[in-house]
Amino acid sequence: MSSLAQSQLRETFELNIGPQHPATHGVLRIKVVMDGEYIVRAEPILGYIHRMHEKMGENRTWNQFWPNMGRLDYLSAIAYNHCYACLVERAMGIEVPERAEYIRVITAELNRIQSHLLGFGAYIMDLGGFTPLMYAMDEREQILDLLESVTGSRLTYCYFRFGGVYNDIDDDFITGTRAFIKRFRPQIPMYHKLVTGNVILMDRLNGVGPISADLCRKYGATGPVLRGSGVNFDVRRNEPYGVYPELDFDIPVYHECDSMARYMVRMDEMVQSCRIIENALNKLPEGPVMAEKVPKALKPPKGDFHFAVEAARGTFSMRTVSDGTNTSYRMRLRSPTYSNVSLFEEASRGMLLSDALAFLGSLDPVIPEMDR
Amino acid sequence: MSGYFKEIITGLKSLAIGLQITNKEFFTKPITLQYPHESVKMTPRYRGHIELVKDPQTGTHRCIACGMCEKGCPTGCITVQAEKREGVKGKVLTAYILNFTTCSLCGQCVENCKPEAINFSNEYNLASTRREDYIFNLLQKLHPEGVPEPEIDPELLKKEREKKEAAKKEPAKKAAAKEGGESKAEEKS
Ligand code: SF4
Ligand code: SF4
């Protein structure tokens, strides 16, 4: 907490959390007006890592915009790859081979588990428990190794291409993924035993940071935040894309609306992702992984296109207006964390400061994606 | 009052369960690698910086200096330098500069390259405190002992010399003929 300014008039004081604070997961600054231990007003101040991704989308060619997709939400970059690929494929009318669709889903779900694992570990660390992070990192490492063996990168993936994926998966990857799932499945009950059942955690999360479904709708919150408030909305189900309709999985929904509910949604989603991956591996067809005849110099027809995917933190959607040239006329990215954190101001009124940090962590913000 | 004791008992129980799991870890093998002494084996698809591929047949690179990689790169970190040499078909690569500080390892250059002259390397031990260390000349990296001279095709050399002679004889058309010859050479590449 960087600065402390006392104001004699209102008997409240201002407190800055961040922009360099371990509990804000990056360069998020929250200006809080405090009355003793209670928050009167908390205002998230964004923009410390704004990089003009939308503008870059407008002056780079369609292919050159690919690396940006790995640098928005660096924890679930593959979902962002997925959105961009599908957006341009929709605009161009490119058919993606079946195998590529399956590979996309498998890698995206692995990426989601990885993201939730880190979210879980970092969240517990925010609350003061260090050990679970190490457990989570151990599992996460396995996923990163698997993804590295197909995509070549460990964090900022640039793996999808218009019409397919960069390269095919091999048998090593398939056996490795199956082995990982076998190893990971029993870990989740272990996490529940170690962490969720812990009385300190329960006391800190149960009933903390209540967000009603209406508040979520008001600010457009999505993902685990929305599903923790009892709304069953998931783009994979409600606006299915790729091969999700062919795979069976459940959408975990919790009705408690508190931080614990959001935490539990993430934990359950990891189990569901395992199910999706297994299912997809069983159904994985043979065939090419790239569509034929995708032009090198892409020029989508004139028009306004939109695509949404379910990233680890909620709905990520892209909208582009194409004027028929090799760059986009207007590119708009809608990132989930931006909406999720927007409700912090309203929801945190009257909260204890320590609760507010537990609440903020349960929103699982990733700042580079919020600022774009 | 009974609720108070109940809370203490459930609390202690949850702590005991947690400690049980933690204690188990005393007896498992650590997974930490002592980095400078041990290192991880990279997967073949790992994306290090790009490198020129050595063609086993010719013993040198396959780059034809078409510049497609340079054009496709989102950050403009590739500079291909090439020149025309007498008696050699197409252009001869003289330097392939990669500014690795701005490379995003996206793979556009590798995809754009028709003759498959570049690929990702497996190198990851690149730590340095000087920025200049990240500006690589990939041609030099491929041939650290010196770049071999390209083979001269005697027939082509003869043809080119004849053309030049012809151009010299007609000073009025000299410029036009030379330009024509050059653009033809470019077309071939
Ligand atoms: S695209 Fe390939 S052949 Fe052309 S200049 Fe680049 S490396 Fe050389
Ligand atoms: S990998 Fe991408 S950024 Fe790096 S040199 Fe190639 S095209 Fe440029």
Side-chain angles (χ1 to χ4, degrees), chain A residues 26 91 96 139 144 179 204 207 210 212-213 265 343:
Chain A
V96 183
E139 296 306 321
L144 292 187
R204 287 208 65 185
S212 65
V265 168
L343 57 73

Side-chain angles (χ1 to χ4, degrees), chain A residues 310-328:
Chain A
E310 186 72 23
R313 279 162 194 79
T315 308
F316 172 66
S317 72
M318 292 179 82
R319 181 177 167 195
T320 182
V321 178
S322 166
D323 55 358
T325 60
N326 61 354
T327 58
S328 163

Side-chain angles (χ1 to χ4, degrees), chain A residues 60 63-64 66-67 71 135 138 148-153 158-159 161 166-169 190 193-194 197-200 203 296, chain B residues 7 10-11 14-15 17-18 21-22 25 31 42-43 45-47 71-75 104-108 110-112 120:
Chain A
R60 289 181 165 193
N63 264 322
Q64 285 178 343
W66 269 119
R71 284 156 181 80
Y135 285 89
D138 179 16
E148 186 192 325
S149 73
V150 287
T151 66
S153 353
C158 182
Y159 177 51
R161 289 291 180 270
Y166 186 77
N167 45 24
D168 200 356
I169 56 176
M190 189 274 268
K193 260 180 28 200
L194 178 69
N198 187 296
V199 69
I200 303 171
D203 280 353
K296 268 263 137 66
Chain B
E7 214 183 295
T10 47
S14 80
L15 291 181
I17 293 172
I21 293 164
T22 316
E25 295 296 321
I31 54 163
M42 283 293 137
T43 57
R45 279 176 186 173
Y46 175 75
R47 291 187 189 173
K71 231 191 209 164
C73 178
T75 44
S104 51
L105 298 171
C106 61
Q108 294 297 337
V110 178
E111 277 194 337
N112 275 359
F120 290 111

